[in-house]
Amino acid sequence: MVIRRMKTLQQTLAILKPDCVQKRAVGQVLARIEAADFRIKALRMIWLTRRMAGSFYAIHKDKPFYDELVSFMTEGPVVVAVLEKEDAVQAWRTLMGATDPSKAKPGTIRRDFADSVSRNIVHGSDSEENARQEVDFFFSRCEWAAEDYE
Ligand code: IDP
Ligand code: MG
């Protein structure tokens, strides 16, 4: 008899931003991710160039906070990760909390660790399509697309 798993796993991209690394909160944030039942499929620390950060956030290039955002994202290294779980895109955004930490729900990562709407500790993809693009921006498929390893 063949037992098939009915769950549809989804992947999303997480970034632990420079403020997260500076606060030495990487371990605590990763622990929350794992406690929330995500599987970490790929993980890397990288110091973004202005070109990379600007390109990653190109969707915001006309926003008043774009220059501030690029400067912030390049002020130190970040940790990028592919997270996998059922409905991962929404689940990771829920765990992160609202963009503005003062509006984020208690118990969310941004509420507990972030200082402001600009320095808000973590990034998460906002749709399945953007998640695919953002994962591809940082990782080669061969780094994380392997079959389940459990
Ligand atoms: P998100 O990270 O919750 O998806 P976005 O609206 O996509 O929020 O904004 C991207 C990032 O730009 C935010 O996480 C934050 O770092 C920064 N940002 C957003 N809004 C503001 C703002 O009003 N002032 C300064 N920085 C902002
Ligand atoms: Mg966004």
Side-chain angles (χ1 to χ4, degrees):
M1 187 173 78
V2 178
I3 299 171
R4 291 188 191 282
R5 188 162 54 171
M6 300 304 288
K7 288 194 280 186
T8 317
L9 293 175
Q10 194 179 54
Q11 293 85 31
T12 192
L13 184 86
I15 306 179
L16 281 53
K17 296 182 175 183
D19 53 341
C20 185
V21 176
Q22 288 158 11
K23 289 182 175 191
R24 303 182 192 195
V26 168
Q28 291 178 77
V29 170
L30 291 178
R32 287 199 185 197
I33 287 168
E34 291 194 313
D37 217 24
F38 287 91
R39 180 175 292 179
I40 298 170
K41 297 286 284 188
L43 185 71
R44 187 190 317 126
M45 180 172 268
I46 177 173
W47 194 326
L48 301 179
T49 62
R50 289 191 69 86
R51 179 186 284 236
M52 287 176 78
S55 165
F56 183 79
Y57 278 118
I59 192 166
H60 294 305
K61 69 176 181 305
D62 296 326
K63 304 267 175 61
F65 57 82
Y66 180 69
D67 283 345
E68 181 190 350
L69 177 59
V70 171
S71 294
F72 165 52
M73 291 299 292
T74 56
E75 72 180 33
V78 300
V79 174
V80 288
V82 179
L83 308 183
E84 184 178 83
K85 167 181 184 142
E86 223 179 321
D87 203 16
V89 171
Q90 187 51 51
W92 172 229
R93 290 204 61 101
T94 301
L95 184 62
M96 287 197 306
T99 308
D100 181 347
S102 68
K103 298 190 179 121
K105 291 194 177 132
T108 60
I109 291 170
R110 281 169 162 169
R111 175 68 173 261
D112 291 346
F113 293 96
D115 292 332
S116 68
V117 67
S118 50
R119 304 178 72 85
N120 60 1
I121 289 281
V122 280
H123 166 85
S125 311
D126 62 4
S127 68
E128 190 168 21
E129 168 64 17
N130 285 342
R132 260 193 293 273
Q133 287 182 20
E134 291 181 2
V135 165
D136 287 345
F137 186 91
F138 284 110
F139 295 98
S140 305
R141 291 273 146 181
C142 61
E143 286 180 86
W144 67 273
E147 293 299 304
D148 279 356
Y149 47 73
E150 269 182 358

